[in-house]
Amino acid sequence: MQLYGSTTSPYVRRIRILLAQVQHEFINLDIYQGAGRDTLAAKTPTMRVPCLDDDGQMIYDSRIIYRYLAEKYRYTPLTWDQENQLTLVDEINDSFVALFQLSKSGIEASEDALFIRIQKERIQASFKALDEQVKAGHFDTWNYPAICLYALIDWVEFRELHKLSGLNQLKAFREKHVDRIEVTATDPRQ
């Protein structure tokens, strides 16, 4: 089993954490240029990470990879509430990735631009909902939704994308899990 991705992607990190107890090879790629970009193009037409090669069976997208692994290793199925939690996490991730890529591309858009405004509104509303869910105990178990939430919060901190002001439950959640061995082993700061 080979997992293709980058060490800084929160989508890749969630799968790396999930696979901590499963024998696999992680192939770290520079997904934006050179040989890494060529390898990515050869593995997935989406040109996005992660992608998983399990003995020739290619799986794209972290949500689908999770579903594949859950079926293969008989993980407890996610509830609809957990699926909704993942949607909130993924919406924040997707919005920040879009904003991050705009910035890395040197494209400066006005704060009033529709695209920017929509991303920021989505981020704020979803963060608020997740903060409330953490407070209500919905992320007390270290499972796939919790792993995804951790990868998101830590990536936001790592890339300095958001100050998380007023999101004290999310900050406390990150601190609670920062020393887990699978978390430290996949830290993008290394």
Side-chain angles (χ1 to χ4, degrees), residues 101-124:
Q101 288 177 338
L102 280 175
S103 173
K104 291 292 270 183
S105 299
I107 299 170
E108 293 192 34
S110 162
E111 292 289 320
D112 295 330
L114 178 64
F115 179 79
I116 303 297
R117 195 174 71 245
I118 288 172
Q119 303 314 309
K120 291 189 175 193
E121 287 172 355
R122 180 177 293 134
I123 289 166
Q124 286 305 112

Side-chain angles (χ1 to χ4, degrees), residues 33-166:
Q33 61 190 356
R37 189 85 179 148
D38 294 342
T39 299
L40 186 62
K43 294 296 177 184
T44 173
T46 67
M47 302 293 292
R48 295 177 70 170
V49 291
C51 63
L52 181 78
D53 183 345
D54 187 13
D55 198 25
Q57 175 65 62
M58 291 302 298
I59 310 293
Y60 316 131
D61 188 75
S62 60
R63 292 275 292 260
I64 308 305
I65 293 170
Y66 173 78
R67 187 170 151 229
Y68 175 82
L69 294 171
E71 193 173 293
K72 180 174 181 157
Y73 295 112
R74 302 178 197 268
Y75 300 153
T76 302
L78 297 175
T79 66
W80 289 115
D81 287 337
Q82 289 172 321
E83 291 284 0
N84 281 334
Q85 290 169 341
L86 290 178
T87 296
L88 292 173
V89 169
D90 287 349
E91 288 300 322
I92 296 170
N93 268 321
D94 288 348
S95 290
F96 273 128
V97 166
L99 294 172
F100 180 75
Q101 288 177 338
L102 280 175
S103 173
K104 291 292 270 183
S105 299
I107 299 170
E108 293 192 34
S110 162
E111 292 289 320
D112 295 330
L114 178 64
F115 179 79
I116 303 297
R117 195 174 71 245
I118 288 172
Q119 303 314 309
K120 291 189 175 193
E121 287 172 355
R122 180 177 293 134
I123 289 166
Q124 286 305 112
S126 297
F127 263 151
K128 184 176 186 272
L130 287 168
D131 196 64
E132 291 167 0
Q133 288 183 21
V134 169
K135 184 176 183 177
H138 297 233
F139 287 91
D140 286 353
T141 302
W142 186 248
N143 55 17
Y144 188 64
I147 289 168
C148 294
L149 179 61
Y150 181 87
L152 165 65
I153 297 166
D154 195 58
W155 180 68
V156 166
E157 293 269 322
F158 167 64
R159 291 289 191 195
E160 299 177 349
L161 300 172
H162 194 282
K163 294 189 185 302
L164 301 175
S165 300

